Amino acid sequence: MCGIVGYVGPDQALPIVLEGLRRLEYRGYDSAGVAMLDGGLSVVKRAGKLSELDGALEALGDIPGSVGMGHTRWATHGAPTNANAHPHTDCEARIAVIHNGIIENFTDLRSGLEKRGHVLASETDTEVVAHLIEEKEGPLADRVRETVRELEGAYALVVLSADEPDVIVGVRVSSPLIVGLGHGENILASDIPAVLQKTRTVLPIDERQVVEVRAGGVRVTDLDGNEVQTGPFEVDWDVARAQKGGFDDFMLKEIHEQPSAIRDTLAGRVSDQGLLAMDELHTDTDVLREVDKVFVVACGTAFHSGLVAKYAIEHWTRVPVEIDIASEFRYRDPVLGPDTLTLAVSQSGETIDTLEAARHASRQGSKVLAVTNTIGSSLAREADAVMYTHAGPEICVAATKTFATQMAALHLVALYLAQVRGAMFPVEIVDIVNRMRELPGQVRRTLGLAEQVHAIADELKDARDVLFIGRHTGYPAALEGALKLKELSYVHAEGYPAGELKHGPIALVEEGVPVVAVATECHVYPKVLSNIQEVRARGARVIAVASEGDQEIAAYANHVLYVPRVPELFAPVVVTPPLQMLAYHVAKLRGCDVDQPRNLAKSVTVE
């Protein structure tokens, strides 16, 4: 998500830090700031793009100092404002902190700090770190280590102190952090492009390690202070590829970011007892208890995530759910009122069709809960409650990790509805939440199918039509697989409920037509096998996505992609990554631009 750059060396730090931040602009951000050490600590930060920060620095006069750091923020806690921009300081403005990730227990930490007399100036989870460090004694690295023991979450921290003006301290707990090793100078950063202006020798900081960066060298320790040995590597990428994390395209990078994106969506939303803690919704639970119907409105990929949510909400809460394509919703005169809840799903929060559907629902008296990836978006501001997906910036036009996180967020909403309405026993909710926590690792395993998927794509690259079929939650997965293939490769593809084939679409099946069948373990699995046999009998080439351990499916398919066994309501989360990779590789083999498909825009802001 956020961009981090820190410099220690003989040169003036500010130009180097700003150049590093510019090289990280591709990550997406909504505010930026710098902190420099030169006798004291100077901090300048502004909401908006780097040009806003440049203007503020020009007005103030450049800040001297050979030790400094900078940050581009993509908001997770608090709207994009000057006050919420990083760096954040302690009460005496002697310590500055920048941060990537989420501090899950920041609410409790903030409350404790305020009771102890600290005055916090922002809404962020980051600021609490500066104040916690302020309370500690000893060398800065020891104070950071002691503070990390109080934090829960996934994050990277970088810290400056006016009392130790020769060092930058960083710590990694899940979020990436690297050091660019120079001669008499070193750069600490969240991603490789920021250091390539000075060096191509990169030292990766591993999980739960602390790094002290000085001009003369780098020291890496574990959280107990024991020194650890790590080896650098040489970067042979150009800057463009470095921005993509070594991947050829943003789409492939973002497909591989899905495990961490799902983890971030789940972070901070589960209590110590394993139940859901959704105070962020700021919604009276009595309102949710009185809801007797849920409407889901969304477009494109978000519509497919909403269809998965329909299955989950109805199964777990027994509340009926209607799902509408947002562009059609208000024109059919839906019956809404105070006893209805409208879930409006939009990655950007600016999709005009979804925004207008949410406004229509609100005018009819329905409570609107937005599920979006963008803090401060129009949808987030206008909704009664907001569930942020925390997927981080998505550069590729075609949605990948935002689809995964929308599904995870909507599952949390469904479970929370069941929890507040008493529709499930607490032990059932705890069990499901624990299964959700396994999803990042299970999705990571599906990414290991890349070579097999590429071989299948080579067979499909000249196809004229491809059918995707599935039943129950396999149906929205089929819809999403078809959408990805047509978006990226311009091959005609359609997704159908497998049971509907015999009502018309089976007329399209002839010798050699590819049919992608979602056939994971579920209560309608035997029926899916019957549908596969129907298309095989008419000459289709079947590519099945099945659950690991399924020996039966191989007799009915030309190719089988095995994914981890998960509860059937979670199946689309593990099924879609190989379908995304299939669309990606077909598109690449056909010479298409996967990051910027023709005629498409990332956010559709016109009707």
Side-chain angles (χ1 to χ4, degrees):
M1 284 190 265
C2 311
I4 288 173
V5 184
Y7 173 80
V8 186
D11 297 335
Q12 288 297 299
L14 183 61
I16 296 166
V17 167
L18 290 173
E19 175 60 23
L21 293 179
R22 290 186 186 97
R23 293 183 179 216
L24 298 179
E25 283 192 284
Y26 71 94
R27 297 167 68 95
Y29 65 101
D30 46 46
S31 59
V34 295
M36 299 291 145
L37 289 175
D38 184 39
L41 177 66
S42 300
V43 174
V44 180
K45 52 188 184 175
R46 290 293 185 273
K49 296 300 183 183
L50 280 169
S51 58
E52 299 294 327
L53 179 62
D54 288 337
L57 289 168
E58 185 176 347
L60 293 170
D62 286 349
I63 308 171
S66 58
V67 176
M69 64 185 185
H71 186 268
T72 49
R73 175 180 186 249
W74 192 86
T76 59
H77 291 71
T81 63
N82 289 350
N84 288 333
H86 296 208
H88 291 284
T89 61
D90 63 325
C91 292
E92 298 181 358
R94 302 287 292 173
I95 295 164
V97 175
I98 55 179
H99 162 223
N100 184 6
I102 297 171
I103 308 299
E104 296 179 13
N105 59 334
F106 91 101
T107 301
D108 291 340
L109 294 172
R110 182 185 182 107
S111 177
L113 286 164
E114 289 174 337
K115 289 176 181 176
R116 295 193 295 274
H118 292 262
V119 177
L120 282 78
S122 78
E123 303 169 90
T124 68
D125 53 344
T126 309
E127 189 182 2
V128 300
V129 179
H131 291 269
L132 289 171
I133 296 172
E134 178 187 7
E135 294 183 331
K136 312 296 187 288
E137 296 182 352
L140 181 60
D142 290 345
R143 296 162 75 185
V144 170
R145 271 187 285 268
E146 190 177 348
T147 296
V148 166
R149 296 188 186 102
E150 301 179 53
L151 306 180
E152 297 173 9
Y155 52 84
L157 302 169
V158 177
V159 186
L160 290 180
S161 172
D163 299 319
E164 294 186 42
D166 67 330
V167 64
I168 300 176
V169 176
V171 60
R172 175 185 177 177
V173 179
S174 294
S175 293
L177 203 59
I178 56 105
V179 181
L181 301 176
H183 299 288
E185 59 183 357
N186 294 293
I187 302 179
L188 184 63
S190 55
D191 209 350
I192 290 172
V195 308
L196 294 183
Q197 58 182 308
K198 284 287 188 178
T199 181
R200 290 184 175 270
T201 304
V202 172
L203 180 73
I205 306 304
D206 289 333
E207 182 69 7
R208 303 187 72 79
Q209 289 184 344
V210 176
V211 59
E212 301 167 54
V213 181
R214 294 177 173 83
V218 173
R219 180 173 183 260
V220 182
T221 59
D222 61 23
L223 293 183
D224 293 322
N226 303 308
E227 194 158 348
V228 295
Q229 298 300 317
T230 57
F233 65 91
E234 294 296 318
V235 175
D236 57 3
W237 314 330
D238 59 18
V239 173
R241 191 164 179 228
Q243 290 176 329
K244 298 167 186 171
F247 294 100
D248 291 335
D249 313 275
F250 281 113
M251 182 180 182
L252 194 58
K253 174 177 181 282
E254 287 158 7
I255 288 172
H256 281 77
E257 287 176 341
Q258 287 177 109
S260 60
I262 295 168
R263 184 195 63 224
D264 288 345
T265 300
L266 302 178
R269 287 163 169 162
V270 181
S271 71
D272 293 338
Q273 292 75 38
L275 296 172
L276 294 176
M278 306 285 279
D279 295 341
E280 65 185 290
L281 295 182
H282 303 296
T283 298
D284 190 338
T285 54
D286 288 339
V287 173
L288 300 179
R289 291 189 190 98
E290 296 302 317
V291 167
D292 64 12
K293 180 177 280 190
V294 175
F295 291 84
V296 182
V297 292
C299 301
T301 288
F303 177 82
H304 301 156
S305 71
L307 188 52
V308 177
K310 172 181 167 67
Y311 294 123
I313 294 169
E314 290 186 337
H315 181 70
W316 287 333
T317 72
R318 310 311 297 161
V319 175
V321 178
E322 292 190 28
I323 178 164
D324 282 80
I325 291 174
S327 58
E328 293 293 320
F329 179 65
R330 66 191 189 278
Y331 299 119
R332 72 169 178 86
D333 196 19
V335 181
L336 297 150
D339 54 356
T340 63
L341 174 68
T342 300
L343 298 179
V345 189
S346 167
Q347 186 281 137
S348 66
E350 303 295 345
T351 306
I352 191 63
D353 294 315
T354 306
L355 191 55
E356 289 296 339
R359 288 166 176 164
H360 178 76
S362 185
R363 286 193 296 268
Q364 302 302 310
S366 177
K367 292 291 184 182
V368 176
L369 195 166
V371 178
T372 182
N373 193 38
T374 310
I375 288 182
S377 63
S378 298
L379 185 61
R381 294 195 308 272
E382 296 184 26
D384 298 291
V386 186
M387 177 76 164
Y388 290 111
T389 57
H390 300 317
E394 189 174 64
I395 308 302
C396 177
V397 167
T400 52
K401 64 177 180 174
T402 54
F403 178 56
T405 55
Q406 283 170 354
M407 287 189 289
L410 287 165
H411 278 118
L412 290 177
V413 170
L415 273 179
Y416 187 63
L417 282 171
Q419 180 175 299
V420 301
R421 296 169 67 89
M424 297 173 69
F425 291 112
V427 67
E428 294 177 292
I429 294 172
V430 170
D431 179 63
I432 293 170
V433 169
N434 287 336
R435 298 296 295 272
M436 289 187 72
R437 285 168 157 169
E438 296 173 1
L439 286 172
Q442 290 165 330
V443 171
R444 182 169 286 108
R445 282 164 54 195
T446 70
L447 299 175
L449 295 169
E451 187 173 336
Q452 187 181 355
V453 171
H454 189 279
I456 295 170
D458 193 53
E459 293 185 21
L460 264 62
K461 67 179 185 297
D462 297 320
R464 184 185 65 186
D465 304 286
V466 181
L467 300 182
F468 288 72
I469 61 172
R471 300 188 82 137
H472 195 246
T473 57
Y475 170 46
L479 288 173
E480 181 61 15
L483 178 61
K484 284 293 158 284
L485 187 63
K486 71 180 78 173
E487 280 183 316
L488 297 173
S489 69
Y490 319 138
V491 171
H492 176 250
E494 297 296 338
Y496 292 102
E500 283 295 294
L501 281 175
K502 55 187 173 289
H503 296 288
I506 201 165
L508 299 173
V509 179
E510 58 186 359
E511 190 69 32
V513 168
V515 176
V516 179
V518 179
T520 50
E521 185 177 51
C522 66
H523 69 288
V524 289
Y525 175 76
K527 296 184 182 299
V528 178
L529 285 187
S530 296
N531 300 135
I532 291 174
Q533 291 180 71
E534 290 168 359
V535 297
R536 274 293 295 272
R538 290 157 179 82
R541 281 187 292 159
V542 176
I543 299 97
V545 184
S547 299
E548 291 174 342
D550 181 351
Q551 299 302 315
E552 190 176 4
I553 190 70
Y556 304 105
N558 300 82
H559 301 280
V560 182
L561 296 168
Y562 286 107
V563 298
R565 288 181 178 271
V566 298
E568 58 186 296
L569 287 171
F570 298 160
V573 180
V574 296
V575 166
T576 49
L579 299 184
Q580 293 163 351
M581 289 191 290
L582 181 64
Y584 169 86
H585 286 300
V586 171
K588 293 287 285 187
L589 290 167
R590 291 168 63 90
C592 303
D593 184 343
V594 293
D595 285 341
Q596 296 286 333
R598 70 186 182 200
N599 303 334
L600 298 179
K602 186 64 180 170
S603 179
V604 181
T605 57
V606 293
E607 280 201 88

